[in-house]
Amino acid sequence: MERLVLTDVDMPSGLRKFITSNDVPPALESWRSALKKDDNTGLALRWVSALTEMGHTLTLSDQERDRAMDVWNSFIQSTIANYPNEMEVFEPVDRTSIISLRLKNVAEGSGYLKTDECKKVFEWMTLDLSSKLDDPVAAHRCYIGQPVSITKEDAVVRTALGSDSLRLILSNEKAALAEDGAILAKLSYLVRNYKDICEKLK
């Protein structure tokens, strides 16, 4: 903290969209003066939601949480293996709740979608595209991790096990895995038809 207090700040403009002066300790006067004075209602609501989720999940035993993660991880990896032309696991994973994926460039027959292309796929995942695309999976609104750059031009997307899904696996495994199966089905459809979809959504 002392080092930050003594350091001049050149506040990135994008950071002002996420935090306000009320989110920064009073000792960081230069930070606070560079940020908006508004209350950060969005951040407060995210914390309320996160703390509620933490409370529910922490009632589970370590064994229950580990079992749910094992079930999810095994299902995700086996489902990804059903789409070898569209995606692959970026790196070996072992009992983790986050899996990173490389999206393949199906139109070119080799290589992977670049960062900007992955961003388009990410956006499409959140939309109901049934009015423009024929496949039923296009209607599903799905949420995955935003693309993360691994090189200057390349990125991975991420699928993750949320705490609500973890608890659902323990109470209704079939329903929980069906939700994640639908996410990967839409993702594979978008990647497989990426070039055509770009034309249709112009």
Side-chain angles (χ1 to χ4, degrees), residues 13-174:
S13 59
L15 192 58
R16 296 189 183 96
K17 298 178 181 178
F18 296 96
I19 63 173
T20 70
S21 62
N22 293 323
D23 304 316
V24 177
L28 298 178
E29 294 181 6
S30 59
W31 285 58
R32 291 171 67 91
S33 63
L35 293 167
K36 293 181 180 179
K37 303 296 189 290
D38 304 336
D39 291 331
N40 194 341
T41 305
L43 181 62
L45 290 173
R46 286 194 291 275
W47 268 109
V48 169
S49 176
L51 290 171
T52 300
E53 284 294 324
M54 289 178 197
H56 291 316
T57 303
L58 288 173
T59 63
L60 303 173
S61 67
D62 290 345
Q63 292 78 13
E64 288 175 309
R65 291 195 295 271
D66 287 346
R67 184 176 77 78
M69 285 192 289
D70 284 342
V71 168
W72 179 83
N73 192 288
S74 176
F75 172 79
I76 293 296
Q77 293 206 60
S78 63
T79 304
I80 290 169
N82 293 331
Y83 305 114
N85 297 321
E86 292 82 22
M87 65 185 81
E88 68 184 28
V89 175
F90 175 56
E91 56 190 10
V93 290
D94 179 26
R95 221 166 81 175
T96 178
S97 59
I98 300 175
I99 296 179
S100 298
L101 304 172
R102 296 296 306 274
L103 305 181
K104 297 188 177 181
N105 190 329
V106 177
E108 296 295 329
S110 63
Y112 304 94
L113 296 183
K114 300 301 183 183
T115 301
D116 288 345
E117 296 167 326
C118 288
K119 288 180 178 179
K120 284 186 180 180
V121 173
F122 171 81
E123 180 183 0
W124 295 343
M125 287 290 287
T126 67
L127 303 175
D128 177 353
L129 299 173
S130 58
S131 63
K132 297 184 178 181
L133 305 176
D134 295 332
D135 195 296
V137 301
H140 300 313
R141 296 179 183 270
C142 303
Y143 298 94
I144 58 175
Q146 294 188 44
V148 173
S149 296
I150 54 175
T151 69
K152 188 175 181 179
E153 296 184 343
D154 298 305
V156 295
V157 299
R158 295 155 296 141
T159 180
L161 175 64
S163 59
D164 55 339
S165 296
L166 183 148
R167 297 195 306 276
L168 184 58
I169 286 175
L170 296 174
S171 62
N172 191 337
E173 181 178 315
K174 183 177 180 180

Side-chain angles (χ1 to χ4, degrees), residues 117 120 124 193-202:
E117 296 167 326
K120 284 186 180 180
W124 295 343
N193 299 283
Y194 177 84
K195 190 172 182 179
D196 290 339
I197 294 173
C198 282
E199 292 295 320
K200 292 180 179 178
L201 298 183
K202 278 184 176 179

